[in-house]
């Protein structure tokens, strides 16, 4: 695989709750430490990136997180406005048309429109915004991500003239160019998240035709004990040994599960994912993101 | 009997709500299984592009039709149900087509809609479409079939209560003065009267057409025209669906996991249901680490004769597990304080293996009902 961070757009997706935002934050950190100027785009209902890095919310404006990493919370209304202004050039026309009560009502009702403008904004940052070298997209979960990424081709089936069609072609060209974009899948070492990642990989190949970056197996439990070590404990002699042995056994059960799903991802996706270790901590913030970034830095070739 | 058990006995419809990725499908299927074991004829209904329910039930595929879980599946799980367990995955496209067939005023109109390119592209993507169709199907099944219990596994929504507002939102899109006003200039003359004066509207439409091309606006106009006359049917139906959800027959169960984000969302959900005056009957926290009895230190383990390196790893691991359990316990307390004493919070421990077969579901039930396996 060629240099991952030399690309313009990196999409991170997977089943809900698998840690997409965390992986996106850690990826951005690694890219930043390798000299790239990175913008993280968040599309979720609630903004999370600044909290993960321990900085103040940036909202719909691009906000600086570290000297090399910025983030922006992409929201449909603001994205619509920016897009319209870009095409219309004149604010007065925008106000007359897009701030018309009837039009707002109408536009809000059709979700594909908000997907168009949100993906449009992400692609604009990747293609035209020279403040940044790389855009990391913290994408929605599986189904929504698929419909988001296939928006350009869906729209192009309906429209083939005008600025919308032109922009959709540019977006599609960016997504389908393996030198400029890649998509990474995130899963947990559990049945459903791994199945969804495998399904999504097939769908992405068929529908979106994006190049695939490395996949991630998050919250991985690497083995800590040999079977011999656990059974060597003379549990009947000491309740403390009993407690320790129970924890060790529970841990190794999880480790075995992790190994099983690592193997499953490797066979079904045709290559091994990068294992992101489970972090034992009460909270999840800047420190934990930095820890994960260290792991990714070792795993992702420069 | 637990409150959840009572719920299964008394209600005809159970709606499982909660954030995505917490095991809602598993809990829905487990409750359905329990009722089937007790002698009911149960249907579990899910919306499932990734075929989660099929996974949960250990069967390879479920179509858009009601499928009975076979005796053989039960036998291999060493279970013998007194009732029947059925499952169904919704295919949004087919539910939409059914609805159009039912409400279209004429065959011509029906074919116009089904053949419209925009309909084919956008029907399943319209705001609230997924949620509305789930409710619509639930209602149809409640009316036309002889199930004793229907369990609905709701789609993971970005906004917690989309599925309650869905009927209204969908009608907003389809029966929308704004859309008609906007698209009037694009419509064939005479189809719809000019309500708001054509000058402003045509200006706006021309500007929009700069983005989309005139072709798309025209097709959108045709699409909306084709839907005229069907709103009444939709509206009537939506009112009935809402009445079913608010009736004594229906119960709501909140499902979440101990993860901070999931609990935040569950709390938001609980408050929103309360505001809508839809009573929730029970809550389930899935994948909880059980409480520990303390973690031995390295020194204690050394004193018990464990060699240094192993003692360190053991102490660390015991500490790690105690930490997971503490965090999950705090999450339970946080949710319980919002739910109040009226709504019981059940916990399902994190199993070593994922639950994806009947036997696993049955073990889940042990924790939900206390008296099963």
């Amino acid at each position: 695989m060629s240099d991952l961070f030399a690309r313009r757009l990196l999409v991170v997706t997977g089943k809900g709750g698998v840690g997409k935002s965390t992986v996106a934050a850690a990826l951005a950190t690694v890219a930043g430490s390798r000299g790239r100027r990175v913008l993280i785009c968040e599309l979720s209902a609630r903004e999370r990136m600044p909290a993960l890095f321990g900085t103040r919310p940036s909202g719909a404006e691009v906000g600086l997180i570290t000297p090399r990493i910025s983030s922006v919370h992409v929201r449909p209304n603001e994205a619509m406005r920016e897009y319209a202004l870009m095409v219309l050039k004149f604010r007065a026309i925008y106000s007359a048309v897009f701030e018309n009560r009837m039009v707002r009502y109408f536009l809000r009702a059709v979700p594909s429109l908000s997907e168009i403008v949100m993906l449009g904004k992400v692609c604009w940052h990747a293609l035209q915004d020279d403040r940044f070298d790389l855009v990391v997209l913290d994408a929605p979960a599986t189904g929504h991500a698929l419909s988001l990424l296939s928006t350009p081709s869906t729209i192009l089936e309906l429209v083939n003239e005008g600025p919308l069609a032109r922009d959709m072609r540019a977006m599609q060209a960016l997504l389908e160019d393996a030198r400029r974009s890649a998509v990474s899948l995130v899963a947990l070492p559990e049945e459903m998240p791994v199945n969804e990642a495998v399904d999504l990989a097939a769908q992405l190949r068929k529908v979106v035709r994006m190049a695939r970056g490395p996949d991630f197996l998050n919250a991985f439990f690497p083995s800590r004990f040999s079977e011999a070590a656990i059974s060597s404990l003379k549990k009947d002699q000491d309740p403390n040994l009993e407690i320790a042995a129970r924890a060790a056994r529970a841990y190794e059960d999880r480790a075995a599960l992790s190994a099983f799903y690592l193997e499953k991802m490797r066979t079904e996706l045709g290559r091994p994912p990068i294992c992101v270790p489970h972090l034992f901590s009460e909270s999840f913030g800047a420190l934990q993101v930095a820890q994960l970034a260290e792991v990714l830095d070792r795993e992702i070739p420069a | 009997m637990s409150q959840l058990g009572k719920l299964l006995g008394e209600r005809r419809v159970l709606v499982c709500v909660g954030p995505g990725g917490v095991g809602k499908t598993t809990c829905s299927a487990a409750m359905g299984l329990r009722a089937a074991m007790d002698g009911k004829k149960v249907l579990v209904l899910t919306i499932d592009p990734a075929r989660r329910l099929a996974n949960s039930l250990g069967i390879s595929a479920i179509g858009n039709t009601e499928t009975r879980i076979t005796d053989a599946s039960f036998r291999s799980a060493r279970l013998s149900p007194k009732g029947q367990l059925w499952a169904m995955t919704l295919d949004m496209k087919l539910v939409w087509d059914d609805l159009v067939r039912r409400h279209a005023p004429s065959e011509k109109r029906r074919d116009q809609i089904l053949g419209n390119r925009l309909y084919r592209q956008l029907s399943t993507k319209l705001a609230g479409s997924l949620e509305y169709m789930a409710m619509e199907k639930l209602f149809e099944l409640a009316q036309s079939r002889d199930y004793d219990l229907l369990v609905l596994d709701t789609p993971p929504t970005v906004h917690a209560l989309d599925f309650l507002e869905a009927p209204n939102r969908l009608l907003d899109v389809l029966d929308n003065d704004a859309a008609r006003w906007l698209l009037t200039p694009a419509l064939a003359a005479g189809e719809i009267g000019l309500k708001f004066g054509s000058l402003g509207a045509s200006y706006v439409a021309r500007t929009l057409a700069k983005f989309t091309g005139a072709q798309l606006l025209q097709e959108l106009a045709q699409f909306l025209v084709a839907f005229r006359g069907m709103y009444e049917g939709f509206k009537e139906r939506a009112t009935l669906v809402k009445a079913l959800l608010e009736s004594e027959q229906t119960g709501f169960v909140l499902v979440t996991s101990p993860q901070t984000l999931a609990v935040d969302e569950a709390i938001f959900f609980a408050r929103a249901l309360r505001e809508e005056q839809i009573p929730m009957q029970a809550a389930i926290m899935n994948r909880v680490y059980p409480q520990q009895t303390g973690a031995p230190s390295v020194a204690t383990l050394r004193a018990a004769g464990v060699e240094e390196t192993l003692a360190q790893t053991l102490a660390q691991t015991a500490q790690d597990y105690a930490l997971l359990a503490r965090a999950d316990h705090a999450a339970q307390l946080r949710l319980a304080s919002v739910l109040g004493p009226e709504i019981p919070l059940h916990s399902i421990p994190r199993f070593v293996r994922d639950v994806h077969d009947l036997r696993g579901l049955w073990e889940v039930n042990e924790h939900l009902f206390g008296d099963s396996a």
Side-chain angles (χ1 to χ4, degrees):
Chain A
M1 194 175 305
S2 62
D3 184 358
L4 185 66
F5 300 125
R7 291 178 165 89
R8 304 287 302 171
L9 175 67
L10 219 51
V11 179
V12 181
T13 183
K15 184 172 157 58
V18 297
K20 290 182 289 292
S21 300
T22 319
V23 170
L27 275 172
T29 306
V30 178
S33 74
R34 293 186 191 176
R36 305 294 196 282
R37 295 165 303 160
V38 188
L39 176 69
I40 308 173
C41 292
E42 277 192 272
L43 263 60
S44 51
R46 256 179 301 182
E47 187 184 12
R48 288 191 59 208
M49 246 354 121
L52 263 182
F53 282 97
T55 56
R56 298 229 320 257
S58 69
E61 302 292 321
V62 171
L64 209 60
I65 285 179
T66 73
R68 290 212 177 268
I69 304 173
S70 302
S71 81
V72 63
H73 188 214
V74 181
R75 301 169 186 167
N77 284 347
E78 282 90 343
M80 177 79 77
R81 182 186 160 82
E82 282 173 33
Y83 179 68
L85 283 176
M86 234 182 288
V87 177
L88 289 172
K89 308 287 192 300
F90 298 106
R91 198 167 295 268
I93 301 183
Y94 173 82
S95 305
V97 174
F98 282 81
E99 281 170 10
N100 177 302
R101 190 177 57 85
M102 289 295 202
V103 175
R104 290 184 76 91
Y105 187 68
F106 174 71
L107 292 178
R108 207 178 50 218
V110 183
S112 290
L113 285 183
S114 61
E115 288 179 339
I116 292 167
V117 291
M118 292 205 290
L119 185 65
K121 181 174 164 63
V122 172
C123 290
W124 181 82
H125 285 297
L127 286 169
Q128 317 232 343
D129 191 345
D130 49 23
R131 291 172 296 174
F132 305 106
D133 304 309
L134 171 70
V135 168
V136 174
L137 170 59
D138 180 11
T142 317
H144 286 132
L146 202 60
S147 93
L148 178 78
L149 295 173
S150 58
T151 304
S153 55
T154 307
I155 298 298
L156 283 170
E157 278 176 37
L158 296 168
V159 187
N160 41 41
E161 43 164 347
L164 184 65
R166 187 196 60 214
D167 290 349
M168 289 300 135
R169 276 191 203 102
M171 282 154 69
Q172 196 174 26
L174 169 68
L175 295 177
E176 290 183 0
D177 182 352
R179 286 162 309 159
R180 289 189 293 166
S181 324
V183 54
S184 281
L185 306 179
V186 185
L188 292 175
E190 293 170 17
E191 182 75 16
M192 313 275 185
V194 169
N195 285 349
E196 268 199 36
V198 171
D199 282 356
L200 183 58
Q203 290 286 323
L204 279 171
R205 203 165 34 241
K206 217 168 57 191
V207 183
V208 189
R209 298 195 296 271
M210 272 186 90
R212 294 257 310 286
D215 303 315
F216 298 92
L217 188 54
N218 194 19
F220 189 84
F221 279 55
S223 172
R224 287 181 182 175
F225 305 95
S226 69
E227 185 53 44
I230 299 180
S231 42
S232 77
L233 300 171
K234 308 255 180 306
K235 291 179 287 253
D236 43 346
Q237 290 171 11
D238 190 328
N240 281 314
L241 288 185
E242 168 74 38
I243 293 170
R246 214 171 36 232
R249 177 76 62 205
Y251 183 93
E252 281 310 307
D253 282 343
R254 284 295 295 277
L257 206 61
S258 286
F260 174 82
Y261 285 110
L262 170 60
E263 181 55 22
K264 183 165 175 170
M265 269 182 98
R266 198 187 63 73
T267 29
E268 300 208 7
L269 292 174
R271 55 175 192 188
I274 292 176
C275 296
V276 184
H278 182 93
L279 295 183
F280 294 90
S281 71
E282 303 256 11
S283 60
F284 208 97
L287 183 67
Q288 285 72 30
V289 170
Q291 280 179 310
L292 295 185
E294 251 175 66
V295 176
L296 297 194
D297 193 33
R298 281 198 301 273
E299 299 284 336
I300 299 172
Chain B
M1 182 183 272
S2 73
Q3 191 149 336
L4 215 48
K6 240 173 73 190
L7 212 56
L8 288 188
E10 289 168 356
R11 310 277 164 151
R12 229 191 123 213
V13 175
L14 275 190
V15 183
C16 287
V17 298
V22 298
K24 248 192 335 256
T25 309
T26 305
C27 290
S28 306
M31 288 191 282
L33 169 63
R34 168 63 195 234
M37 292 297 287
D38 289 349
K40 298 212 163 188
K41 184 176 174 187
V42 187
L43 176 69
V44 180
L45 192 65
T46 188
I47 297 159
D48 187 26
R51 302 202 173 279
R52 285 186 217 147
L53 186 66
N55 269 327
S56 284
L57 294 179
I59 56 177
S60 54
I62 300 172
N64 193 38
T65 46
E66 298 142 66
T67 307
R68 187 173 172 182
I69 312 305
T70 60
D71 286 341
S73 302
F74 276 105
R75 262 199 306 279
S76 64
R78 303 185 306 281
L79 295 171
S80 40
K82 294 195 207 104
Q84 301 174 8
L85 183 60
W86 294 68
M88 174 173 177
T89 304
L90 282 182
D91 181 320
M92 301 311 302
K93 188 79 188 77
L94 293 180
V95 183
W96 257 103
D97 292 353
D98 277 355
L99 205 67
V100 168
R101 288 203 182 89
R102 193 162 51 227
H103 292 302
S106 68
E107 276 179 33
K108 183 170 165 249
R109 191 70 70 75
R110 181 196 66 202
D111 295 342
Q112 263 175 5
I113 295 177
L114 295 180
N116 183 290
R117 271 200 313 161
L118 266 177
Y119 168 78
R120 295 205 303 268
Q121 289 287 348
L122 297 183
S123 61
T124 55
K125 288 188 182 175
L126 282 173
S129 174
L130 189 68
E131 294 82 3
Y132 177 69
M133 289 303 143
M135 293 300 153
E136 165 70 30
K137 196 74 197 172
L138 180 75
F139 179 76
E140 188 203 316
L141 291 165
Q143 285 224 310
S144 63
R145 302 284 204 281
D146 62 344
Y147 292 106
D148 304 310
L149 177 69
L150 293 160
V151 184
L152 175 70
D153 167 30
T154 58
T157 48
V158 182
H159 302 290
L161 289 177
D162 271 359
F163 69 95
L164 289 176
E165 294 155 10
N168 294 331
R169 278 193 29 216
L170 194 66
L171 285 169
D172 277 352
V173 183
L174 295 176
D175 185 16
N176 179 325
D177 281 342
R180 245 178 283 159
W181 172 77
L182 187 60
L183 297 168
T184 298
L187 295 177
E191 267 282 18
I192 295 179
L194 299 186
K195 270 194 184 171
F196 298 90
S198 63
L199 251 183
S202 71
Y203 171 70
V204 170
R206 271 206 313 276
T207 313
L208 278 181
K210 274 191 193 161
F211 292 86
T212 62
Q215 178 199 359
L216 179 69
L217 278 191
Q218 266 160 16
E219 283 195 53
L220 190 54
Q222 280 157 11
F223 173 65
L224 289 166
V225 167
F227 259 92
R228 276 167 68 213
M230 291 175 58
Y231 309 128
E232 283 312 310
F234 270 65
K235 258 183 201 156
E236 220 168 89
R237 202 67 175 176
T239 315
L240 292 172
V241 170
K242 194 134 193 285
L244 172 70
L245 291 181
E246 286 168 353
S247 80
E248 286 284 310
Q249 288 185 59
T250 306
F252 281 81
V253 178
L254 178 69
V255 185
T256 184
S257 76
Q259 261 72 49
T260 310
L261 284 176
V263 175
D264 287 349
E265 216 172 304
I267 286 174
F268 180 72
F269 235 111
R271 293 202 167 120
L273 277 175
R274 198 171 293 159
E275 270 167 32
E276 290 282 318
Q277 303 191 321
I278 293 180
M280 192 204 308
Q281 278 77 25
I284 299 171
M285 190 174 279
N286 193 16
R287 300 197 198 115
V288 177
Y289 277 103
Q291 288 280 76
Q292 307 291 306
T293 39
S297 68
V298 179
T300 316
L301 292 167
R302 292 286 286 139
V306 181
E307 68 71 34
E308 177 72 25
T309 325
L310 180 58
Q312 274 175 8
T313 320
L314 280 171
Q316 184 62 53
T317 303
Q319 241 179 54
D320 288 346
Y321 264 81
L323 186 141
L324 294 176
R326 265 205 312 282
D328 286 4
H329 185 63
Q332 284 173 299
L333 293 180
R334 187 155 76 93
L335 181 58
S337 75
V338 175
L339 294 176
E342 299 293 309
I343 304 168
L345 174 61
H346 300 263
S347 301
I348 303 173
R350 182 178 260 284
F351 294 112
V352 174
R353 291 270 148 205
D354 282 325
V355 175
H356 52 263
D357 56 17
L358 283 173
R359 193 71 221 169
L361 290 175
W362 189 238
E363 278 157 27
V364 166
N365 277 334
E366 194 182 342
H367 299 280
L368 288 180
F369 303 98
D371 57 352
S372 310

